[in-house]
Amino acid sequence: KGSVMSDETRGEVARNAVGSFEKKQKFQRDLRAAAAKFLIKPKNGIAYLVSCGHLDNNPVDVAKMLLRYKESLSKTQIGEYLGGEKEVNINTMHAYVDQFSFKGMDLDEALRYFLAGFRLPGEGQKIDRMMEKFASHFVENNPGIFPSADTAFTLSYAIIMLNTDAHNP
């Protein structure tokens, strides 16, 4: 025999469904507002999500958010934020890179996978910082492929420069 749901239980289920729907709608509105703020100044978009209670203000949570919502945010601004020189930016970039698994990938494949979520900033020092962390993480995930992270870094940087030369006038 099947169980019969009481009117009270049905009402509670309906209220929970409506509440869940409204919560998702509020999050989507907050995410759109945060994306607009992020476009102007990334830290303001992040601060907005923190103030709304959608995000904890720590590098790991921010990195996960940037990766998860990369389609809703400006890829150029994600790159600028991750490439920043302040400690919070560097820690977030490290946490961002650590979210990836490059196990079993060739270097060029891993590099494409990594760079799909943002645009590299134009400043050489920012690119250096990001590629150093990428190369280190790639070598950790694929021991024995390169003698050191420096080799992976040099090759990664060369690939980026070749791509830039090939596709930018």
Side-chain angles (χ1 to χ4, degrees), residues 4-16:
V4 177
M5 198 182 298
S6 71
D7 287 342
E8 184 178 315
T9 304
R10 274 194 296 275
E12 187 174 330
V13 168
R15 282 189 298 279
N16 287 342

Side-chain angles (χ1 to χ4, degrees), residues 38 42-43 66 76-94 118-131 133:
F38 190 88
K43 74 177 191 174
L66 292 175
T76 300
Q77 289 296 74
I78 293 172
E80 286 296 326
Y81 185 79
L82 293 174
E85 61 189 27
K86 292 184 179 174
E87 186 177 348
V88 67
N89 301 89
I90 292 169
N91 291 339
T92 302
M93 183 264 295
H94 283 228
F118 64 94
R119 284 193 70 196
L120 278 173
E123 189 181 321
Q125 287 181 330
K126 291 179 178 185
I127 296 170
D128 273 353
R129 272 193 299 276
M130 296 170 95
M131 288 298 97
K133 177 59 180 169

Side-chain angles (χ1 to χ4, degrees), residues 38-168:
F38 190 88
L39 182 60
I40 296 166
K41 195 167 189 177
K43 74 177 191 174
N44 291 348
I46 292 166
Y48 181 77
L49 288 176
V50 169
S51 72
C52 292
H54 299 300
L55 183 65
D56 286 336
N57 194 15
N58 66 66
V60 172
D61 283 353
V62 172
K64 287 179 180 179
M65 183 274 302
L66 292 175
L67 195 55
R68 182 171 185 188
Y69 297 106
K70 64 186 175 197
E71 300 304 322
S72 299
L73 301 171
S74 162
K75 289 186 178 190
T76 300
Q77 289 296 74
I78 293 172
E80 286 296 326
Y81 185 79
L82 293 174
E85 61 189 27
K86 292 184 179 174
E87 186 177 348
V88 67
N89 301 89
I90 292 169
N91 291 339
T92 302
M93 183 264 295
H94 283 228
Y96 184 89
V97 175
D98 289 340
Q99 299 300 310
F100 290 87
S101 173
F102 302 125
K103 289 182 180 166
M105 290 184 177
D106 290 331
L107 184 67
D108 63 320
E109 179 185 11
L111 192 55
R112 269 193 300 275
Y113 180 53
F114 172 59
L115 295 175
F118 64 94
R119 284 193 70 196
L120 278 173
E123 189 181 321
Q125 287 181 330
K126 291 179 178 185
I127 296 170
D128 273 353
R129 272 193 299 276
M130 296 170 95
M131 288 298 97
E132 281 179 19
K133 177 59 180 169
F134 164 79
S136 172
H137 191 65
F138 179 84
V139 169
E140 286 173 17
N141 281 200
N142 296 288
I145 291 181
F146 294 107
S148 71
D150 288 342
T151 307
F153 169 79
T154 302
L155 187 54
S156 298
Y157 208 93
I159 291 169
I160 289 168
M161 292 298 105
L162 284 170
N163 186 63
T164 301
D165 286 348
H167 297 286
N168 291 327

